[in-house]
Amino acid sequence: MALRKFKVEGWNHDAGTTATVTMGGTQVFSGPITTAVVNPYDGVNDPASGARHFILSWDYNNSDDTTEQEVACSIEITAGSASIGAVYVSSGDTNSATYPDGERPGIEEVDSTWYYQGTNNTPYGDGSDTAIPEKKNILVDGVVPELTATTPDEGVIPTGGVDNPTFSSWTFLLESGSTISFTQRIPAEIAEYVAPAP
């Protein structure tokens, strides 16, 4: 069992926003979201141009870091409003730091800790349209998220298409009292870098 760190990309839309996070049946976070307040996504423009925001973070004792684990997770907005996006999972600082620039497979250093990025690429998938990202079995208030667009002319269609959306890199707007629940994939800690043979 090892401690893994988690960060959630997203946006805070109210100065009084609070959230409760449960993972594996254990509450791992409860309190205010303290990042800057921005307007919700308007369907065209990000709330803050080009800026990445991490709105939640917590630690979790993972049962096994030698192979991928799947753990039930939920994020409830208990006051205010927030957009919940990709979940970053720590990749293991010791081995992650051994990778040279340009050869880091889907990892990124944030606040002096290395994380797997929450996408449908390494270590979660091959980046194809049907590859499942870091979250699967996503429900908002107990139901599969409703698509606002069913054709490209109406708006952005998620990877996987209308019939089997994966919601890779999608953000979900939650108001007070709403909950997003999902199966969080926790990859094995990254292996130490091995230089290719000359």
Coordinates of all heavy atoms in Angstrom, one line a residue, residues 101-195:
D101 N 14.1 15.1 -20.6 CA 13.2 16.0 -21.3 C 12.9 15.4 -22.7 O 13.8 15.0 -23.4 CB 13.7 17.4 -21.5 CG 13.8 18.2 -20.1 OD1 13.1 17.8 -19.2 OD2 14.5 19.2 -20.1
G102 N 11.6 15.5 -23.1 CA 11.2 15.0 -24.4 C 10.9 13.5 -24.5 O 10.5 13.0 -25.5
E103 N 11.2 12.8 -23.4 CA 11.0 11.4 -23.4 C 10.1 10.9 -22.2 O 10.0 9.8 -21.9 CB 12.3 10.6 -23.3 CG 13.1 10.8 -24.6 CD 14.4 10.0 -24.6 OE1 14.3 8.7 -24.4 OE2 15.5 10.5 -24.9
R104 N 9.4 11.9 -21.6 CA 8.5 11.6 -20.5 C 7.2 11.1 -21.0 O 6.4 11.9 -21.6 CB 8.4 12.8 -19.6 CG 9.7 13.2 -19.0 CD 9.5 14.2 -17.8 NE 10.8 14.4 -17.2 CZ 11.5 15.5 -17.3 NH1 11.1 16.5 -18.0 NH2 12.7 15.6 -16.7
P105 N 6.8 9.9 -20.7 CA 5.5 9.3 -21.3 C 4.3 9.7 -20.5 O 3.9 9.0 -19.6 CB 5.8 7.8 -21.2 CG 6.7 7.7 -20.0 CD 7.5 8.9 -19.9
G106 N 3.7 10.8 -20.9 CA 2.4 11.2 -20.3 C 2.5 11.7 -18.8 O 1.6 11.5 -18.1
I107 N 3.7 12.2 -18.4 CA 3.9 12.7 -17.1 C 4.2 14.2 -17.1 O 4.8 14.7 -18.0 CB 4.9 11.9 -16.2 CG1 6.3 11.9 -16.9 CG2 4.4 10.4 -16.0 CD1 7.4 11.2 -16.1
E108 N 3.9 14.8 -16.0 CA 4.1 16.3 -15.9 C 4.4 16.6 -14.4 O 3.8 16.0 -13.5 CB 2.9 17.0 -16.4 CG 2.9 18.5 -16.3 CD 1.7 19.1 -16.8 OE1 0.9 18.5 -17.5 OE2 1.4 20.3 -16.4
E109 N 5.3 17.5 -14.2 CA 5.6 17.9 -12.8 C 4.7 19.1 -12.4 O 4.7 20.1 -13.1 CB 7.1 18.3 -12.7 CG 7.5 18.5 -11.2 CD 9.0 18.8 -11.1 OE1 9.7 19.3 -12.1 OE2 9.6 18.5 -10.0
V110 N 4.0 18.9 -11.3 CA 3.1 20.0 -10.8 C 3.4 20.1 -9.3 O 3.3 19.1 -8.6 CB 1.6 19.6 -11.0 CG1 0.7 20.7 -10.5 CG2 1.3 19.3 -12.5
D111 N 3.8 21.3 -8.9 CA 4.0 21.6 -7.5 C 5.0 20.6 -6.9 O 4.8 20.0 -5.8 CB 2.8 21.6 -6.7 CG 1.8 22.6 -7.1 OD1 2.2 23.7 -7.6 OD2 0.6 22.4 -6.9
S112 N 6.1 20.3 -7.6 CA 7.2 19.4 -7.2 C 6.9 18.0 -7.1 O 7.6 17.2 -6.5 CB 7.8 19.9 -5.9 OG 8.3 21.3 -6.0
T113 N 5.7 17.6 -7.7 CA 5.4 16.1 -7.7 C 5.1 15.8 -9.2 O 4.5 16.6 -9.9 CB 4.1 15.9 -6.8 OG1 4.4 16.2 -5.5 CG2 3.6 14.4 -6.9
W114 N 5.4 14.6 -9.6 CA 5.2 14.1 -10.9 C 3.8 13.4 -11.0 O 3.5 12.6 -10.1 CB 6.3 13.1 -11.4 CG 7.6 13.9 -11.6 CD1 8.6 14.0 -10.8 CD2 7.9 14.5 -12.8 NE1 9.6 14.7 -11.4 CE2 9.2 15.1 -12.6 CE3 7.3 14.7 -14.1 CZ2 9.9 15.8 -13.6 CZ3 8.0 15.5 -15.0 CH2 9.3 16.0 -14.8
Y115 N 3.1 13.7 -12.1 CA 1.7 13.2 -12.2 C 1.5 12.7 -13.7 O 2.0 13.2 -14.6 CB 0.7 14.3 -12.0 CG 0.5 14.8 -10.6 CD1 1.3 15.8 -10.1 CD2 -0.4 14.2 -9.8 CE1 1.2 16.3 -8.8 CE2 -0.6 14.7 -8.5 CZ 0.2 15.7 -8.0 OH 0.1 16.1 -6.7
Y116 N 0.7 11.6 -13.7 CA 0.2 11.2 -15.0 C -0.9 12.2 -15.4 O -1.7 12.5 -14.6 CB -0.5 9.8 -14.9 CG 0.5 8.6 -14.7 CD1 0.4 7.8 -13.6 CD2 1.4 8.3 -15.7 CE1 1.3 6.8 -13.4 CE2 2.3 7.2 -15.5 CZ 2.2 6.5 -14.4 OH 3.0 5.4 -14.2
Q117 N -1.0 12.6 -16.7 CA -2.0 13.5 -17.1 C -3.3 12.7 -17.4 O -3.3 11.5 -17.8 CB -1.6 14.2 -18.4 CG -0.3 15.0 -18.2 CD 0.3 15.5 -19.5 OE1 -0.3 15.3 -20.6 NE2 1.5 16.0 -19.5
G118 N -4.4 13.3 -17.1 CA -5.7 12.7 -17.3 C -6.2 12.7 -18.7 O -7.0 13.5 -19.0
T119 N -5.7 11.8 -19.5 CA -6.1 11.8 -21.0 C -6.3 10.4 -21.4 O -6.3 9.4 -20.5 CB -5.0 12.4 -21.9 OG1 -3.9 11.5 -21.8 CG2 -4.6 13.8 -21.4
N120 N -6.6 10.1 -22.6 CA -6.7 8.8 -23.1 C -5.4 8.3 -23.8 O -5.4 7.3 -24.5 CB -7.9 8.7 -24.2 CG -7.7 9.6 -25.4 OD1 -6.8 10.4 -25.4 ND2 -8.5 9.5 -26.4
N121 N -4.3 8.9 -23.4 CA -3.0 8.5 -23.9 C -2.3 7.8 -22.7 O -2.9 7.5 -21.7 CB -2.2 9.7 -24.3 CG -2.6 10.2 -25.7 OD1 -2.5 9.5 -26.7 ND2 -3.1 11.4 -25.7
T122 N -1.0 7.4 -22.9 CA -0.2 6.7 -21.9 C -0.4 7.4 -20.5 O -0.4 8.6 -20.5 CB 1.3 6.8 -22.3 OG1 1.4 6.2 -23.6 CG2 2.1 6.1 -21.3
P123 N -0.7 6.6 -19.5 CA -0.7 5.2 -19.4 C -2.1 4.6 -19.6 O -2.2 3.3 -19.4 CB -0.2 4.9 -18.0 CG -0.8 6.0 -17.2 CD -0.7 7.2 -18.2
Y124 N -3.1 5.4 -19.9 CA -4.5 4.9 -19.9 C -4.9 4.2 -21.2 O -5.7 3.3 -21.3 CB -5.4 6.0 -19.6 CG -5.1 6.6 -18.2 CD1 -4.5 7.9 -18.1 CD2 -5.5 6.0 -17.1 CE1 -4.2 8.4 -16.9 CE2 -5.2 6.5 -15.8 CZ -4.6 7.7 -15.7 OH -4.3 8.3 -14.5
G125 N -4.4 4.8 -22.3 CA -4.8 4.2 -23.6 C -3.8 4.7 -24.7 O -2.8 5.3 -24.4
D126 N -4.2 4.4 -25.9 CA -3.3 4.7 -27.1 C -3.7 6.0 -27.8 O -3.1 6.3 -28.8 CB -3.3 3.6 -28.1 CG -4.7 3.3 -28.6 OD1 -5.6 4.0 -28.4 OD2 -4.8 2.3 -29.4
G127 N -4.6 6.8 -27.2 CA -5.0 8.1 -27.8 C -6.0 7.9 -28.9 O -6.4 8.9 -29.5
S128 N -6.4 6.7 -29.2 CA -7.4 6.5 -30.3 C -8.8 7.0 -29.8 O -9.0 7.2 -28.6 CB -7.5 5.0 -30.6 OG -8.0 4.2 -29.5
D129 N -9.7 7.1 -30.7 CA -11.0 7.7 -30.4 C -11.8 6.9 -29.4 O -12.6 7.5 -28.6 CB -11.9 7.7 -31.7 CG -13.2 8.5 -31.5 OD1 -13.1 9.6 -31.1 OD2 -14.2 7.9 -31.8
T130 N -11.6 5.6 -29.2 CA -12.3 4.8 -28.3 C -11.5 4.5 -27.0 O -12.0 3.8 -26.1 CB -12.8 3.5 -28.9 OG1 -11.7 2.8 -29.5 CG2 -13.8 3.8 -30.1
A131 N -10.3 5.0 -26.9 CA -9.4 4.7 -25.7 C -10.1 5.3 -24.5 O -10.4 6.5 -24.5 CB -8.0 5.2 -25.9
I132 N -10.1 4.6 -23.4 CA -10.7 5.1 -22.2 C -9.7 5.9 -21.4 O -8.6 5.4 -21.2 CB -11.3 3.9 -21.3 CG1 -12.2 3.0 -22.1 CG2 -11.9 4.4 -20.0 CD1 -13.5 3.7 -22.6
P133 N -10.1 7.1 -20.9 CA -9.1 7.9 -20.2 C -9.1 7.5 -18.7 O -9.4 6.4 -18.3 CB -9.7 9.3 -20.3 CG -11.2 9.1 -20.5 CD -11.3 7.8 -21.2
E134 N -8.7 8.5 -17.8 CA -8.4 8.2 -16.4 C -9.7 7.9 -15.6 O -9.7 7.3 -14.6 CB -7.6 9.3 -15.8 CG -8.5 10.5 -15.2 CD -9.1 11.4 -16.3 OE1 -9.0 11.1 -17.5 OE2 -9.7 12.4 -15.9
K135 N -10.9 8.4 -16.1 CA -12.2 8.2 -15.5 C -13.0 7.4 -16.4 O -13.1 7.6 -17.7 CB -12.9 9.5 -15.2 CG -12.2 10.4 -14.2 CD -13.1 11.6 -13.9 CE -13.5 12.6 -14.9 NZ -12.3 13.4 -15.4
K136 N -13.8 6.4 -15.9 CA -14.8 5.7 -16.7 C -16.1 5.5 -15.9 O -16.1 5.8 -14.7 CB -14.2 4.4 -17.2 CG -13.9 3.4 -16.2 CD -13.3 2.1 -16.9 CE -13.3 1.0 -16.0 NZ -12.8 -0.3 -16.6
N137 N -17.1 5.1 -16.5 CA -18.4 4.9 -15.8 C -18.9 6.2 -15.2 O -19.4 6.2 -14.1 CB -18.4 3.8 -14.8 CG -17.8 2.5 -15.4 OD1 -18.2 2.1 -16.5 ND2 -17.0 1.8 -14.6
I138 N -18.7 7.3 -15.9 CA -19.1 8.6 -15.4 C -20.6 8.8 -15.3 O -21.3 8.6 -16.2 CB -18.4 9.7 -16.3 CG1 -16.9 9.6 -16.3 CG2 -18.9 11.1 -15.8 CD1 -16.2 10.5 -17.3
L139 N -21.0 9.3 -14.1 CA -22.4 9.6 -13.9 C -22.5 11.0 -13.2 O -21.6 11.3 -12.4 CB -23.1 8.6 -13.0 CG -23.1 7.2 -13.4 CD1 -23.7 6.3 -12.3 CD2 -23.9 7.0 -14.7
V140 N -23.4 11.8 -13.6 CA -23.7 13.1 -12.9 C -25.1 13.0 -12.3 O -26.0 12.8 -13.0 CB -23.6 14.3 -13.9 CG1 -23.9 15.6 -13.2 CG2 -22.2 14.4 -14.5
D141 N -25.1 13.1 -11.0 CA -26.3 12.9 -10.2 C -27.0 11.6 -10.6 O -28.2 11.5 -10.7 CB -27.3 14.1 -10.4 CG -26.7 15.4 -9.8 OD1 -25.9 15.3 -8.9 OD2 -27.0 16.4 -10.4
G142 N -26.2 10.5 -10.8 CA -26.7 9.2 -11.0 C -27.1 8.8 -12.4 O -27.5 7.7 -12.7
V143 N -26.9 9.7 -13.4 CA -27.2 9.4 -14.8 C -26.0 9.7 -15.7 O -25.2 10.6 -15.4 CB -28.5 10.2 -15.2 CG1 -29.7 9.7 -14.4 CG2 -28.3 11.7 -15.2
V144 N -26.0 9.1 -16.8 CA -24.9 9.3 -17.8 C -25.1 10.8 -18.3 O -26.2 11.2 -18.6 CB -25.1 8.3 -19.0 CG1 -24.0 8.7 -20.1 CG2 -24.9 6.9 -18.5
P145 N -24.0 11.5 -18.4 CA -24.1 12.9 -18.8 C -24.8 13.0 -20.2 O -24.6 12.2 -21.1 CB -22.6 13.4 -18.9 CG -21.9 12.5 -18.0 CD -22.6 11.1 -18.1
E146 N -25.7 14.0 -20.3 CA -26.5 14.2 -21.5 C -25.6 15.0 -22.4 O -25.1 16.1 -22.1 CB -27.8 14.9 -21.2 CG -28.7 15.1 -22.4 CD -30.0 15.8 -22.0 OE1 -30.3 15.9 -20.8 OE2 -30.7 16.3 -22.9
L147 N -25.6 14.6 -23.7 CA -24.8 15.4 -24.7 C -25.7 16.5 -25.2 O -26.9 16.4 -25.5 CB -24.5 14.5 -25.9 CG -23.5 13.3 -25.6 CD1 -23.3 12.5 -26.8 CD2 -22.2 13.8 -25.0
T148 N -25.1 17.7 -25.3 CA -25.8 18.9 -25.8 C -25.7 18.9 -27.3 O -26.4 19.7 -28.0 CB -25.3 20.2 -25.2 OG1 -23.9 20.2 -25.4 CG2 -25.5 20.2 -23.7
A149 N -24.8 18.1 -27.9 CA -24.6 18.1 -29.3 C -24.6 16.6 -29.8 O -24.0 15.8 -29.1 CB -23.3 18.8 -29.8
T150 N -25.3 16.3 -30.9 CA -25.3 15.0 -31.4 C -24.7 14.9 -32.8 O -24.6 13.9 -33.4 CB -26.7 14.4 -31.4 OG1 -27.6 15.2 -32.1 CG2 -27.2 14.2 -29.9
T151 N -24.4 16.1 -33.4 CA -23.7 16.2 -34.7 C -22.6 17.2 -34.6 O -22.7 18.1 -33.7 CB -24.7 16.6 -35.8 OG1 -25.1 18.0 -35.6 CG2 -25.9 15.7 -35.9
P152 N -21.6 17.1 -35.4 CA -20.5 18.1 -35.3 C -21.0 19.6 -35.6 O -20.4 20.5 -35.0 CB -19.5 17.7 -36.4 CG -19.8 16.2 -36.5 CD -21.2 16.0 -36.3
D153 N -22.1 19.7 -36.3 CA -22.6 21.1 -36.6 C -23.2 21.7 -35.3 O -23.2 22.9 -35.2 CB -23.7 21.0 -37.7 CG -23.2 20.7 -39.0 OD1 -21.9 20.9 -39.2 OD2 -23.9 20.3 -39.9
E154 N -23.7 20.8 -34.4 CA -24.3 21.3 -33.1 C -23.3 21.6 -32.0 O -23.6 22.3 -31.1 CB -25.3 20.3 -32.6 CG -26.5 20.1 -33.5 CD -27.3 18.9 -33.1 OE1 -26.9 18.0 -32.3 OE2 -28.5 18.9 -33.5
G155 N -22.1 21.1 -32.2 CA -21.1 21.3 -31.2 C -20.1 20.2 -31.1 O -20.0 19.3 -32.0
V156 N -19.2 20.2 -30.0 CA -18.2 19.2 -29.9 C -18.7 17.8 -29.5 O -19.5 17.7 -28.6 CB -17.1 19.6 -28.9 CG1 -16.0 18.6 -28.7 CG2 -16.5 21.0 -29.3
I157 N -18.3 16.8 -30.2 CA -18.7 15.4 -29.9 C -17.6 14.8 -29.2 O -16.4 14.9 -29.6 CB -19.0 14.6 -31.2 CG1 -20.1 15.3 -32.1 CG2 -19.4 13.2 -30.9 CD1 -21.4 15.4 -31.4
P158 N -17.8 14.1 -28.0 CA -16.7 13.5 -27.3 C -16.1 12.3 -28.0 O -16.7 11.7 -28.9 CB -17.4 13.0 -26.0 CG -18.8 12.9 -26.3 CD -19.1 13.9 -27.4
T159 N -14.9 12.0 -27.7 CA -14.2 10.8 -28.2 C -15.2 9.6 -27.9 O -15.9 9.6 -26.9 CB -12.9 10.5 -27.6 OG1 -13.0 10.5 -26.2 CG2 -11.9 11.6 -28.0
G160 N -15.2 8.6 -28.8 CA -16.1 7.5 -28.6 C -17.4 7.7 -29.3 O -18.1 6.8 -29.6
G161 N -17.7 9.0 -29.7 CA -18.9 9.3 -30.4 C -20.1 9.4 -29.5 O -20.1 9.2 -28.3
V162 N -21.3 9.6 -30.2 CA -22.5 9.8 -29.4 C -23.0 8.6 -28.7 O -23.5 8.6 -27.6 CB -23.6 10.3 -30.4 CG1 -25.0 10.4 -29.8 CG2 -23.2 11.7 -31.0
D163 N -22.8 7.4 -29.3 CA -23.3 6.2 -28.7 C -22.4 5.6 -27.6 O -22.9 5.0 -26.7 CB -23.4 5.1 -29.8 CG -24.5 5.4 -30.9 OD1 -25.4 6.1 -30.5 OD2 -24.3 5.1 -32.0
N164 N -21.1 5.9 -27.7 CA -20.2 5.4 -26.6 C -19.2 6.4 -26.2 O -17.9 6.2 -26.3 CB -19.4 4.1 -27.2 CG -20.4 3.0 -27.5 OD1 -21.0 2.4 -26.6 ND2 -20.5 2.6 -28.7
P165 N -19.6 7.6 -25.7 CA -18.7 8.6 -25.4 C -17.7 8.2 -24.2 O -18.1 7.6 -23.2 CB -19.6 9.8 -24.9 CG -20.9 9.1 -24.5 CD -21.0 7.9 -25.3
T166 N -16.5 8.6 -24.4 CA -15.5 8.3 -23.3 C -15.3 9.6 -22.4 O -14.8 9.4 -21.3 CB -14.1 7.9 -23.9 OG1 -13.5 9.1 -24.5 CG2 -14.2 6.8 -24.9
F167 N -15.7 10.7 -23.0 CA -15.5 12.0 -22.2 C -14.1 12.3 -21.9 O -13.8 13.0 -20.9 CB -16.4 12.0 -21.0 CG -17.9 12.0 -21.3 CD1 -18.6 10.8 -21.0 CD2 -18.5 13.0 -22.0 CE1 -20.0 10.8 -21.3 CE2 -19.9 12.9 -22.3 CZ -20.6 11.8 -21.9
S168 N -13.1 11.8 -22.7 CA -11.7 12.1 -22.4 C -11.5 13.6 -22.5 O -11.9 14.3 -23.4 CB -10.8 11.5 -23.5 OG -9.5 11.8 -23.3
S169 N -10.9 14.2 -21.4 CA -10.5 15.6 -21.3 C -11.7 16.5 -21.2 O -11.6 17.7 -21.3 CB -9.6 16.1 -22.4 OG -8.5 15.3 -22.5
W170 N -12.9 16.0 -21.0 CA -14.1 16.8 -20.8 C -14.2 17.4 -19.4 O -13.7 16.9 -18.5 CB -15.4 16.0 -21.1 CG -15.7 16.0 -22.6 CD1 -14.9 15.7 -23.6 CD2 -17.0 16.4 -23.2 NE1 -15.5 15.9 -24.8 CE2 -16.8 16.2 -24.6 CE3 -18.2 16.7 -22.7 CZ2 -17.8 16.5 -25.5 CZ3 -19.2 17.0 -23.6 CH2 -19.0 16.9 -25.0
T171 N -14.9 18.5 -19.3 CA -15.2 19.2 -18.1 C -16.7 19.2 -17.8 O -17.5 19.4 -18.7 CB -14.6 20.6 -18.1 OG1 -13.2 20.6 -18.4 CG2 -14.8 21.4 -16.8
F172 N -17.1 19.0 -16.5 CA -18.5 18.9 -16.2 C -18.8 20.0 -15.2 O -18.2 20.1 -14.1 CB -18.8 17.5 -15.6 CG -18.5 16.4 -16.5 CD1 -17.2 15.8 -16.6 CD2 -19.5 15.9 -17.4 CE1 -17.0 14.8 -17.5 CE2 -19.2 14.9 -18.3 CZ -18.0 14.3 -18.3
L173 N -19.8 20.8 -15.5 CA -20.3 21.9 -14.7 C -21.2 21.4 -13.6 O -22.2 20.8 -14.0 CB -20.9 23.0 -15.5 CG -21.6 24.2 -14.7 CD1 -20.5 25.0 -13.9 CD2 -22.4 25.1 -15.7
L174 N -20.9 21.6 -12.3 CA -21.7 21.1 -11.2 C -22.1 22.3 -10.4 O -21.3 23.1 -10.0 CB -21.0 20.1 -10.4 CG -20.4 18.8 -11.0 CD1 -19.7 17.9 -10.0 CD2 -21.6 18.1 -11.7
E175 N -23.4 22.3 -10.1 CA -23.9 23.3 -9.2 C -24.1 22.7 -7.8 O -23.9 21.5 -7.6 CB -25.3 23.8 -9.6 CG -25.3 24.4 -11.0 CD -24.6 25.7 -11.1 OE1 -24.4 26.4 -10.1 OE2 -24.4 26.2 -12.3
S176 N -24.3 23.5 -6.8 CA -24.5 23.0 -5.4 C -25.5 21.9 -5.3 O -26.5 22.0 -5.9 CB -24.9 24.2 -4.5 OG -25.1 23.7 -3.2
G177 N -25.1 20.8 -4.7 CA -25.9 19.6 -4.5 C -25.7 18.6 -5.6 O -26.2 17.5 -5.5
S178 N -24.9 18.9 -6.6 CA -24.7 17.9 -7.7 C -23.4 17.1 -7.4 O -22.4 17.6 -6.8 CB -24.6 18.6 -9.0 OG -25.8 19.0 -9.5
T179 N -23.4 15.9 -7.9 CA -22.3 14.9 -7.7 C -21.9 14.3 -9.0 O -22.7 13.8 -9.7 CB -22.7 13.8 -6.7 OG1 -23.0 14.4 -5.4 CG2 -21.5 12.9 -6.5
I180 N -20.6 14.3 -9.3 CA -20.0 13.4 -10.3 C -19.4 12.2 -9.7 O -18.6 12.3 -8.7 CB -19.0 14.2 -11.2 CG1 -18.6 13.3 -12.4 CG2 -17.9 14.7 -10.4 CD1 -17.8 14.1 -13.5
S181 N -19.8 11.0 -10.2 CA -19.2 9.8 -9.7 C -18.6 9.0 -10.9 O -19.1 9.2 -12.0 CB -20.2 8.9 -9.0 OG -21.3 8.6 -9.8
F182 N -17.6 8.3 -10.6 CA -16.8 7.6 -11.7 C -15.9 6.6 -11.1 O -15.7 6.5 -9.9 CB -16.0 8.6 -12.5 CG -15.2 9.5 -11.7 CD1 -13.9 9.2 -11.4 CD2 -15.7 10.8 -11.3 CE1 -13.1 10.1 -10.6 CE2 -14.9 11.6 -10.5 CZ -13.6 11.3 -10.2
T183 N -15.4 5.7 -12.0 CA -14.4 4.8 -11.6 C -13.1 5.4 -12.0 O -12.8 5.7 -13.2 CB -14.5 3.4 -12.4 OG1 -15.8 2.9 -12.1 CG2 -13.5 2.4 -12.0
Q184 N -12.2 5.7 -11.0 CA -10.9 6.3 -11.2 C -9.9 5.2 -11.4 O -9.7 4.2 -10.6 CB -10.5 7.1 -9.9 CG -9.1 7.6 -10.0 CD -8.9 8.7 -11.1 OE1 -9.7 9.6 -11.1 NE2 -7.9 8.6 -11.9
R185 N -9.2 5.3 -12.5 CA -8.1 4.4 -12.8 C -6.8 4.9 -12.2 O -6.5 6.1 -12.4 CB -8.0 4.2 -14.4 CG -9.2 3.7 -15.0 CD -9.1 3.7 -16.5 NE -8.1 2.8 -17.0 CZ -7.7 2.8 -18.3 NH1 -8.2 3.6 -19.2 NH2 -6.8 1.9 -18.7
I186 N -6.1 4.0 -11.5 CA -4.9 4.4 -10.8 C -3.8 3.6 -11.4 O -3.7 2.4 -11.1 CB -5.0 4.2 -9.3 CG1 -6.2 5.0 -8.7 CG2 -3.7 4.7 -8.6 CD1 -6.4 4.7 -7.2
P187 N -3.0 4.1 -12.3 CA -2.0 3.3 -13.0 C -0.9 2.9 -12.0 O -0.7 3.5 -10.9 CB -1.4 4.2 -14.0 CG -2.4 5.3 -14.1 CD -3.0 5.5 -12.8
A188 N -0.2 1.8 -12.4 CA 1.0 1.5 -11.6 C 2.0 2.6 -11.6 O 2.0 3.5 -12.5 CB 1.7 0.2 -12.2
E189 N 2.8 2.7 -10.6 CA 3.9 3.7 -10.6 C 4.8 3.5 -11.8 O 5.1 2.3 -12.1 CB 4.7 3.8 -9.3 CG 3.8 4.3 -8.1 CD 4.7 4.7 -6.9 OE1 5.8 4.1 -6.7 OE2 4.3 5.6 -6.2
I190 N 5.3 4.6 -12.3 CA 6.1 4.5 -13.6 C 7.4 3.7 -13.3 O 8.0 3.9 -12.2 CB 6.3 5.9 -14.1 CG1 6.8 5.8 -15.6 CG2 7.3 6.7 -13.3 CD1 6.7 7.2 -16.3
A191 N 7.9 3.0 -14.3 CA 9.1 2.3 -14.2 C 10.3 3.2 -14.4 O 10.1 4.3 -15.0 CB 9.2 1.2 -15.2
E192 N 11.4 2.9 -13.9 CA 12.6 3.7 -14.0 C 13.0 3.8 -15.5 O 12.8 2.8 -16.3 CB 13.8 3.1 -13.2 CG 15.0 4.0 -13.3 CD 16.1 3.5 -12.3 OE1 15.9 2.4 -11.7 OE2 17.2 4.1 -12.3
Y193 N 13.5 4.9 -15.9 CA 13.9 5.1 -17.3 C 15.1 4.2 -17.7 O 16.0 4.1 -16.9 CB 14.3 6.6 -17.6 CG 14.8 6.9 -19.0 CD1 13.9 6.9 -20.0 CD2 16.1 7.1 -19.2 CE1 14.4 7.2 -21.3 CE2 16.6 7.3 -20.5 CZ 15.7 7.4 -21.5 OH 16.2 7.6 -22.8
V194 N 14.9 3.6 -18.9 CA 16.0 2.8 -19.4 C 16.4 3.4 -20.8 O 15.6 3.5 -21.7 CB 15.7 1.3 -19.5 CG1 16.8 0.6 -20.2 CG2 15.3 0.7 -18.2
A195 N 17.6 3.9 -20.9 CA 18.1 4.5 -22.2 C 18.1 3.4 -23.3 O 18.4 2.3 -23.0 CB 19.5 5.1 -22.0

